Each structure stands twice: as C-alpha cells, then as structure tokens.
Amino acid sequence: HQFTDANGAFKLETIVPGLYPGRTRHIHVKVQAPNQRILTTQLYFPGEPRNQTDSIFNPALLMNVRQDGNAKQGTFDFVLNVRQQPNPTGEPTGGPSQPGGTWAAGTDYKTGDQVTYGGDTYRCLQPHTARAGWEPPSVPALWQRV
C-alpha cells in the first residue's frame, strides 16, 4: 500500500512488466479517497503493439512515459471527488470529524497497536502516521476491527 503526500502525489518504483500471452503491458492499481469506494483499474504504456489487440485496453488509461537516463518515468493523474466537511469556523478539513476514542491524527502507529474509534476497537495492520481521513473505519488497508 502507498499513500499520497499532502498534495496528493505518490511515487512507485518498479520494473516495466514483462510480456505474456493475450495482454498488453500494464500495471494494476487501486485508488481510494477517504471514506469512498475503491477504484480498481490498470494503467497502460503508450506505443505497445499489443495495445491494439488487448480486448480490455482503454486509451484513457495510458500513462505519460518519458526516458529518464537509463530508466523510464511514467505519470498518470487520478482525479477523485473528495468530499470536504466544514469545521466550526467554516473552513474545509481533510476528513471526517473524530467521534471520540483513542485514535488521533498525527500519531505514529505501529503494526499491532490498538485504538478505539466510534466505540469500536481496531488493530493497526501497517505502520503509518495517522491523518484526518485515515480513521479506522475509513481505511481497511490500515485498520482491522477486533
């Protein structure tokens, strides 16, 4: 799992996928805004001969790829509709308000740590620094109800 920075940017280092029968080169991705459903899709490489023969290829999912020394650098912008909730001053916040419990934004959690949130207990699945919008019921990749 990867998370974006405060500006919504992320970086993934990998190899260019190999060829296999029936498909063009692609990378599988899942994207989720706080408290929203998961989008599962694939990103494709431009100029691949198999793009034209792959029955599920979608040109809207082509990455922008450029040569960067001996490596390639690909980019793709995901645009998500993230609902903002106003705080008491009327300014938007990064996520839902906390309904009480021991979970707190800004806290460094380790795998196995337990917190309460909204009357339920959750166990941390991977180390992270909590942010608004990453509350336990909102991000099942980080929290498991116990």
Side-chain angles (χ1 to χ4, degrees):
H1 293 91
Q2 290 188 263
F3 299 93
T4 63
D5 64 18
N7 296 317
F10 68 95
K11 181 179 180 178
L12 168 70
E13 289 189 35
T14 188
I15 61 170
V16 173
L19 296 173
Y20 62 95
R23 293 298 319 276
T24 190
R25 295 180 203 261
H26 61 278
I27 296 176
H28 292 256
V29 295
K30 292 186 177 196
V31 181
Q32 182 181 28
N35 303 309
Q36 301 297 312
R37 293 176 54 171
I38 296 172
L39 165 68
T40 302
T41 191
Q42 300 173 23
L43 298 178
Y44 299 99
F45 294 83
E48 286 289 322
R50 291 186 182 177
N51 286 352
Q52 305 310 313
T53 59
D54 188 325
S55 64
I56 62 173
F57 168 75
N58 181 342
L61 297 172
L62 280 169
M63 292 182 286
N64 292 314
V65 177
R66 68 176 184 85
Q67 198 66 40
D68 185 12
N70 291 331
K72 292 184 180 194
Q73 189 175 74
T75 60
F76 188 87
D77 291 329
F78 291 95
V79 180
L80 304 175
N81 183 11
V82 179
R83 293 186 206 115
Q84 298 289 314
Q85 295 185 357
N87 67 24
T89 65
E91 294 296 316
T93 63
S97 61
Q98 182 176 336
T102 60
W103 180 90
T107 303
D108 291 325
Y109 290 108
K110 299 181 302 292
T111 301
D113 286 349
Q114 289 195 356
V115 299
T116 58
Y117 185 86
D120 293 316
T121 302
Y122 295 86
R123 180 172 41 94
C124 179
L125 298 176
Q126 59 180 310
H128 67 283
T129 301
R131 296 183 184 180
W134 291 8
E135 294 83 354
S138 302
V139 189
L142 295 177
W143 299 102
Q144 179 180 47
R145 187 175 297 178
V146 294

